[in-house]
Amino acid sequence: HVPEAVGLDGVLAAGQRSIEHLDGYLAALVPDGVTLPTDRMQRLRAVLAKADPSRLPGVVSRTLAAGTWNCATLIVLDRFGALDDVAALRKRTAWLDKMPPAIVDSWDPKQDFRLKSYGPDDFAALRAGNVQRAKILAALDAAGAPILVGTDTGNPFVVPGASLHDEIELMIAAGLSRPRVLRAATADAVR
């Protein structure tokens, strides 16, 4: 993960070997000198409003220079962004019937401490952030940055096994080729 106090450039300069969830990339697109809120959702909305896409090539170059791998885990962020319609999410989550009912029940956003106060605007911001993360992942891929495939299983509606297939499809939808994603999930994971 990328601590907000350190930021993406800090972990890249320190030689961090991998980054989960593309942490820090959205904030790295915000011009220098902009103060961001500390509240998670207010921060996301501010980052989305102030991000400058022209900063992305520089961020990608610094990632390449650091040799840092990224494990995007798009699926966990996709699921969080869809928790405002649990009925629809249940329908599209494969192998949900294989999960213990008590676990599935615990994924109710009204019970999850991270989501209790979220409203429609918050879920919309999460989904908008996911669109931007897919663009970041595509830019990292286009530059040949090292990428891994992961899911962050254990989070709401991220079902072991099935979510790996979902992650692969989300990465392909972001613009990565199927062979590239399959290599990232297998041979690159070994590397």
Side-chain angles (χ1 to χ4, degrees), residues 83-191:
L83 281 167
D84 58 339
D85 188 349
V86 173
L89 188 52
R90 282 178 181 266
K91 287 180 185 174
R92 72 176 173 104
T93 302
W95 303 357
L96 194 59
D97 60 322
K98 310 292 185 241
M99 295 296 297
I103 297 291
V104 176
D105 291 344
S106 76
W107 291 341
D108 182 330
K110 294 177 185 131
Q111 294 183 32
D112 191 314
F113 72 95
R114 298 167 291 189
L115 303 169
K116 282 184 179 184
S117 64
Y118 282 24
D121 290 344
D122 298 312
F123 289 105
L126 289 171
R127 289 189 291 271
N130 292 344
V131 170
Q132 296 308 310
R133 283 184 192 89
K135 291 177 182 177
I136 291 166
L137 180 62
L140 288 165
D141 173 60
I147 294 170
L148 297 169
V149 178
T151 64
D152 221 15
T153 293
N155 278 292
F157 296 91
V158 182
V159 176
S163 61
L164 182 62
H165 296 275
D166 296 333
E167 179 71 11
I168 288 168
E169 295 306 320
L170 285 172
M171 292 175 82
I172 292 165
L176 283 69
S177 71
R178 190 170 297 276
R180 167 75 155 116
V181 176
L182 292 176
R183 188 175 70 245
T186 56
D188 288 350
V190 173
R191 273 186 42 209

Side-chain angles (χ1 to χ4, degrees), residues 27-109:
L29 299 180
V30 174
D32 296 334
V34 174
T35 303
L36 296 172
T38 56
D39 174 79
R40 174 176 269 182
M41 289 312 300
Q42 289 177 5
R43 180 180 180 86
L44 176 59
R45 281 193 284 278
V47 163
L48 291 170
K50 297 174 190 284
D52 177 0
S54 71
R55 294 174 60 92
L56 185 55
V59 172
V60 170
S61 290
R62 292 190 298 278
T63 302
L64 285 170
T68 301
W69 292 72
N70 271 278
C71 186
T73 62
L74 298 176
I75 189 61
V76 71
L77 302 165
D78 172 79
R79 297 301 198 240
F80 270 103
L83 281 167
D84 58 339
D85 188 349
V86 173
L89 188 52
R90 282 178 181 266
K91 287 180 185 174
R92 72 176 173 104
T93 302
W95 303 357
L96 194 59
D97 60 322
K98 310 292 185 241
M99 295 296 297
I103 297 291
V104 176
D105 291 344
S106 76
W107 291 341
D108 182 330

